[in-house]
């Protein structure tokens, strides 16, 4: 009887390939003053953009920020180690806010607009995929940073 139940459940699972979900992912380089940070955690939330436009905030951190009520704010101020927080308009993918908070930088967090680009941004259903790049090392006063990250993350509802 157990064998038949197992076979039936295995057959049903193989017939439902769409029942799986894509995992949230961030990969690539985030370097501050020559030292790499491993951004292992990512989330994205609905937020308000400039001039009332729809927007998404993407939060990437070294430590898990899932329990935070304000992940972007907490990430910017070092609660989760090195972090990068980016806001994009939806649906055009225009980057309008970028906060760099690398633990090996003297000045952190700082805001950069124009030096980090959002490339190949796509919104498909409840997910955002993008590449964020500084196009090589860049300077902020006497600090040097570099960003080249690929992301694929589910967009969660607006935080309360």
């Amino acid at each position: 009887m157990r064998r038949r139940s197992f076979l039936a459940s295995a057959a049903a699972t193989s017939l439902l390939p769409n029942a799986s979900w894509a995992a949230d992912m961030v990969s690539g380089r985030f370097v501050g003053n020559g030292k790499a940070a491993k951004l292992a955690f990512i989330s994205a939330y609905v937020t308000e953009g400039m001039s009332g436009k729809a927007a998404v905030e993407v939060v990437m951190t070294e430590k898990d920020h899932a329990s935070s009520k304000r992940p972007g704010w907490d990430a910017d101020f070092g609660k989760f180690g090195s972090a990068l927080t980016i806001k994009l308009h939806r649906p055009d993918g225009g980057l309008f806010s970028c906060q760099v908070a690398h633990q090996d930088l003297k000045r952190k967090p700082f805001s950069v607009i124009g030096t980090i680009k959002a490339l190949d941004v796509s919104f498909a259903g409840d997910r955002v995929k993008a590449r964020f790049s500084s196009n090589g090392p860049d300077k902020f006063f006497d600090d040097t940073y570099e960003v080249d990250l690929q992301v694929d993350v589910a967009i969660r509802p607006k935080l309360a």
Side-chain angles (χ1 to χ4, degrees):
M1 185 65 163
R2 287 185 194 170
R3 182 179 169 152
R4 264 188 270 164
S5 297
F6 173 75
L7 291 174
S9 66
T13 303
S14 67
L15 295 174
L16 299 171
N18 293 333
S20 63
W21 292 274
D24 294 342
M25 179 275 306
V26 57
S27 64
R29 292 175 44 83
F30 182 43
V31 179
N33 288 332
K35 295 184 181 174
K38 176 66 177 145
L39 299 182
F41 299 92
I42 184 169
S43 60
Y45 302 92
V46 172
T47 190
E48 293 182 24
M50 306 292 283
S51 303
K53 291 182 181 180
V56 172
E57 178 179 38
V58 180
V59 179
M60 298 159 274
T61 60
E62 284 184 305
K63 299 175 187 170
D64 190 2
H65 60 266
S67 63
S68 176
K69 290 184 182 358
R70 301 183 324 170
W73 179 268
D74 290 342
D76 291 345
F77 291 98
K79 189 171 181 181
F80 306 111
S82 294
L84 190 66
T85 306
I86 293 178
K87 292 183 182 178
L88 304 167
H89 280 128
R90 188 174 184 178
D92 66 355
L95 189 150
F96 68 93
S97 174
C98 180
Q99 298 292 320
V100 177
H102 194 290
Q103 293 299 313
D104 291 303
L105 298 176
K106 295 173 193 150
R107 294 181 163 102
K108 59 185 175 280
F110 60 85
S111 180
V112 292
I113 297 294
T115 58
I116 295 178
K117 305 284 186 206
L119 309 165
D120 305 322
V121 178
S122 68
F123 293 96
D126 68 341
R127 298 193 73 77
V128 60
K129 293 181 184 182
R131 177 176 173 225
F132 303 117
S133 177
S134 61
N135 200 26
D138 207 342
K139 290 196 71 79
F140 182 79
F141 291 95
D142 53 346
D143 285 321
T144 302
Y145 66 94
E146 182 179 359
V147 174
D148 190 4
L149 298 168
Q150 294 274 34
V151 301
D152 181 356
V153 60
I155 303 168
R156 287 145 179 93
K158 186 174 184 174
L159 296 170

